[in-house]
């Protein structure tokens, strides 16, 4: 289960095409995986939108978004985790979850606190990996303060049009 939470705030407008390109490109290897893979997609600004939940990777094809507004990073991460904790019940124990939060901005719209997300991430079992892509050291520091494990925070070069694409290919 690969869960993408994509920052759709106004500051992502500059990166719109790169984000769309990378997510569309990720659909192919996920479809061809030896394991059964399901994907979920959330976009967030001040509001959180679940575009789809636990679908075939084909659902990522033709991804488009329209950035505007603030950034509810904490609330979006909590919702994505909680939505998937709910579908995990009754599922075979070999099921794993990878949450990738893709953002270029800092938190400025969530109702929950960083400590709430930190506590939730710390409570997850070994079937979960929670990671984020951030633009700079400040974003990395903020992600770490929210509970994202330091080794699961990847920086992407926002000053280079190909910076996000490069990280997407690593991912």
């Amino acid at each position: 289960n690969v869960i993408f939470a994509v920052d759709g705030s106004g500051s992502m407008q500059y990166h719109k095409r790169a984000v769309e390109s990378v997510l569309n490109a990720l659909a192919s290897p996920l479809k061809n995986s030896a394991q059964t893979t399901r994907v979920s997609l959330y976009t967030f600004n001040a509001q959180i939108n679940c575009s789809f939940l636990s679908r075939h990777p084909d659902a990522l094809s033709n991804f488009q978004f329209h950035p505007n507004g603030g950034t509810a990073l904490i609330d979006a991460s909590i919702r994505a985790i909680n939505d998937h904790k709910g579908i995990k019940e009754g599922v075979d124990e070999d099921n794993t979850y990878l949450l990738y939060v893709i953002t270029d901005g800092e938190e400025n719209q969530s109702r929950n606190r960083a400590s709430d997300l930190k506590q939730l991430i710390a409570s997850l079992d070994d079937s979960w990996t929670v990671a984020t892509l951030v633009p700079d050291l400040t974003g990395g520091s903020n992600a770490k303060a929210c509970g994202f494990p330091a080794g699961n925070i990847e920086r992407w070069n926002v000053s280079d049009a190909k910076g996000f694409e490069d990280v997407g290919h690593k991912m």
Side-chain angles (χ1 to χ4, degrees), residues 1-62:
N1 294 283
V2 181
I3 309 155
F4 295 99
V6 179
D7 180 348
S9 67
S11 60
M12 288 294 284
Q13 184 63 43
Y14 174 76
H15 309 292
K16 180 182 181 331
R17 286 193 179 142
V19 172
E20 290 171 346
S21 172
V22 168
L23 283 177
N24 288 323
L26 284 171
S28 181
L30 292 174
K31 284 188 279 190
N32 299 325
S33 172
Q35 298 176 331
T36 301
T37 303
R38 307 297 287 169
V39 297
S40 299
L41 177 65
Y42 294 80
T43 55
F44 63 93
N45 48 29
Q47 304 294 318
I48 302 153
N49 176 48
C50 179
S51 300
F52 51 85
L53 185 66
S54 194
R55 291 216 184 139
H56 187 275
D58 283 339
L60 278 179
S61 299
N62 301 316

Side-chain angles (χ1 to χ4, degrees), residues 24-105:
N24 288 323
L26 284 171
S28 181
L30 292 174
K31 284 188 279 190
N32 299 325
S33 172
Q35 298 176 331
T36 301
T37 303
R38 307 297 287 169
V39 297
S40 299
L41 177 65
Y42 294 80
T43 55
F44 63 93
N45 48 29
Q47 304 294 318
I48 302 153
N49 176 48
C50 179
S51 300
F52 51 85
L53 185 66
S54 194
R55 291 216 184 139
H56 187 275
D58 283 339
L60 278 179
S61 299
N62 301 316
F63 170 73
Q64 294 182 347
F65 73 128
H66 306 287
N68 65 57
T71 308
L73 170 65
I74 293 168
D75 288 351
S77 300
I78 289 173
R79 177 167 171 202
I81 291 168
N82 285 335
D83 285 356
H84 287 79
K85 282 176 69 176
I87 62 173
K88 183 176 180 168
E89 294 173 14
V91 175
D92 142 3
E93 64 188 50
D94 289 336
N95 233 8
T96 59
Y97 296 83
L98 169 61
L99 169 61
Y100 247 113
V101 179
I102 302 167
T103 183
D104 78 334

